[in-house]
Amino acid sequence: MALRSDGFVDIDIHTLESVLSRETLNCKEIHIWDAALRWASAECIRQDLEPTPANQRQLLGSALYLIRLPAMNLEEFANSAAQTGILTHQETIDVFLHFTASNKPLLCFPTKPRQGLKTQVCHRFQSCAYRSNQWRYRGRCDSIQFSVDKRIFVVGFGLYGSSSGAADYNVKIELKRLGNVLAENNTKFFSDGSSNTFHVYFENPIQIEPECSYTASAILDGGELSFFGQEGMSEATVGSVNFQFQCSSESTNGTGVQGGQIPELIFYGPPSDD
C-alpha cells in the first residue's frame, strides 16, 4: 500500500535507496519495480526532463541495482522489466539466462528473494485433545475476543482440524471490531488428521490497535469430529506483545478462553525476543 501510494513518488533518492535495500519489504519484487519506475517518472518531471527510459535510468542511478529482478518469476520479468527499455540489452539477456540457463551469468542485481517480515504466533492453549463424542463444527461459529498492548498486524489464524482421519474443510475466518467486519476470507484447508494446527490467512494484514477489543471468528464445515484446545490462558505474551483473551458473545460452538477452536493468532509485530 505504501509503495502504491501517491506520496511514495515524492520521497528523495536517499529514502528511495533505503526502501529498496530493505530485507523486510513484504511484497512481490514486481511491485517494488513498478514503484521505482513511478518514482523515476515523477523525478523526471521534477527536473524538467522527458520521462524517457534513458532519463528514468539515469535518475535511478545505483538505486536500480537494489531491485531484485531475479526474485521475480520469469513471466513477471518478461512482461514488465524486460520491456520497459530501462535495462540494457545485455542486462536483459543476462537476467533471462539467470532464469533459464544452467550456467548462469554474474548479475549486478541481488538474486536472493527478500526475507520479508517474519510472522509470529500467539498460542492461547497449553494443550489440545479429542474425545469420541465431543467437538463438532457443523457450520457453527467459534469466536474469541482479544486485545493487545502494542500495535500489531494480524495475518491469519491457526485452526484445529479432524481427529478422525484426513479431511478437507471449508472455512470462513473473520476479524471484527465493535461489530464492524475488518476482514474476512472464505477458503479451504486440508487436515491430515493430526493434532497440528493449520494456518489460514486473510488477503491482507489487518492493523490491530493497542488496548482495543477485537473478535476473531471461524466457521468450519468439514470433518465433524475435531481436535480442540484446552488449558486456555486469559493472557499470553509473545516477544514484547501481551495478549488478553475474553469470551465472545458471538461464539455459538463452545469456544471460549478455557478451550475450543482458534488456538493461534498469526501476526506481524515488534521483533520477538528470541
Side-chain angles (χ1 to χ4, degrees):
M1 289 171 65
L3 292 177
R4 289 172 171 165
S5 68
D6 293 338
F8 182 80
V9 300
D10 298 328
I11 62 178
D12 61 36
I13 183 66
H14 302 297
T15 306
L16 178 70
E17 289 173 342
S18 174
V19 170
L20 296 182
S21 62
R22 283 180 61 180
E23 191 66 44
T24 53
L25 276 181
N26 228 44
C27 66
K28 287 187 171 184
E29 204 68 25
I30 190 170
H31 298 320
I32 297 169
W33 169 265
D34 291 342
L37 261 59
R38 284 180 54 241
W39 179 90
S41 294
E43 185 67 9
C44 283
I45 293 166
R46 283 191 287 269
Q47 297 197 23
D48 291 324
L49 294 170
E50 189 74 22
T52 62
N55 286 338
Q56 286 177 297
R57 181 187 174 99
Q58 182 183 350
L59 293 178
L60 279 169
S62 60
L64 177 67
Y65 298 107
L66 298 173
I67 302 171
R68 306 188 183 190
L69 294 177
M72 297 182 189
N73 63 42
L74 177 57
E75 186 178 352
E76 287 171 339
F77 176 74
N79 290 325
S80 60
Q83 297 194 42
T84 58
I86 301 288
L87 305 177
T88 66
H89 288 306
Q90 190 60 53
E91 286 168 345
T92 304
I93 291 167
D94 285 349
V95 176
F96 271 124
L97 288 173
H98 175 84
F99 283 121
T100 56
S102 53
N103 187 16
K104 301 182 188 305
L106 286 173
L107 298 178
C108 299
F109 303 94
T111 57
K112 286 186 178 179
R114 299 172 198 269
Q115 289 184 6
L117 286 171
K118 291 186 177 175
T119 57
Q120 299 179 59
V121 179
C122 176
H123 307 270
R124 67 184 196 90
F125 298 126
Q126 297 178 77
S127 65
C128 74
Y130 73 92
R131 300 190 186 104
S132 59
N133 62 346
Q134 194 173 347
W135 214 271
R136 300 173 185 270
Y137 291 129
R138 293 177 178 164
R140 290 191 293 249
C141 184
D142 287 291
S143 291
I144 191 70
Q145 196 170 294
F146 71 95
S147 62
V148 290
D149 64 345
K150 292 184 174 65
R151 187 178 68 166
I152 64 169
F153 294 82
V154 166
V155 296
F157 307 148
L159 301 175
Y160 289 126
S162 170
S163 61
S164 53
D168 287 302
Y169 284 90
N170 294 308
V171 59
K172 178 182 180 182
I173 56 171
E174 200 170 62
L175 193 62
K176 286 183 178 179
R177 161 106 175 104
L178 298 174
N180 297 318
V181 177
L182 303 179
E184 64 179 10
N185 190 22
N186 288 286
T187 185
K188 299 175 186 290
F189 72 91
F190 171 74
S191 166
D192 59 11
S194 73
S195 61
N196 296 332
T197 56
F198 303 92
H199 289 181
V200 294
Y201 298 96
F202 294 105
E203 192 170 332
N204 295 302
I206 302 100
Q207 183 169 310
I208 303 297
E209 295 295 346
E211 315 304 342
C212 298
S213 289
Y214 295 83
T215 302
S217 299
I219 299 175
L220 279 83
D221 188 19
E224 284 195 349
L225 280 171
S226 306
F227 286 92
F228 58 93
Q230 54 186 16
E231 295 182 274
M233 299 176 287
S234 59
E235 189 173 339
T237 300
V238 182
S240 61
V241 183
N242 179 261
F243 288 77
Q244 304 269 353
F245 293 101
Q246 292 182 309
C247 293
S248 166
S249 60
E250 296 185 30
S251 193
T252 58
N253 198 42
T255 287
V257 172
Q258 297 299 318
Q261 179 58 282
I262 316 180
E264 295 171 339
L265 298 179
I266 310 163
F267 69 99
Y268 298 131
S272 179
D273 292 335
D274 49 12

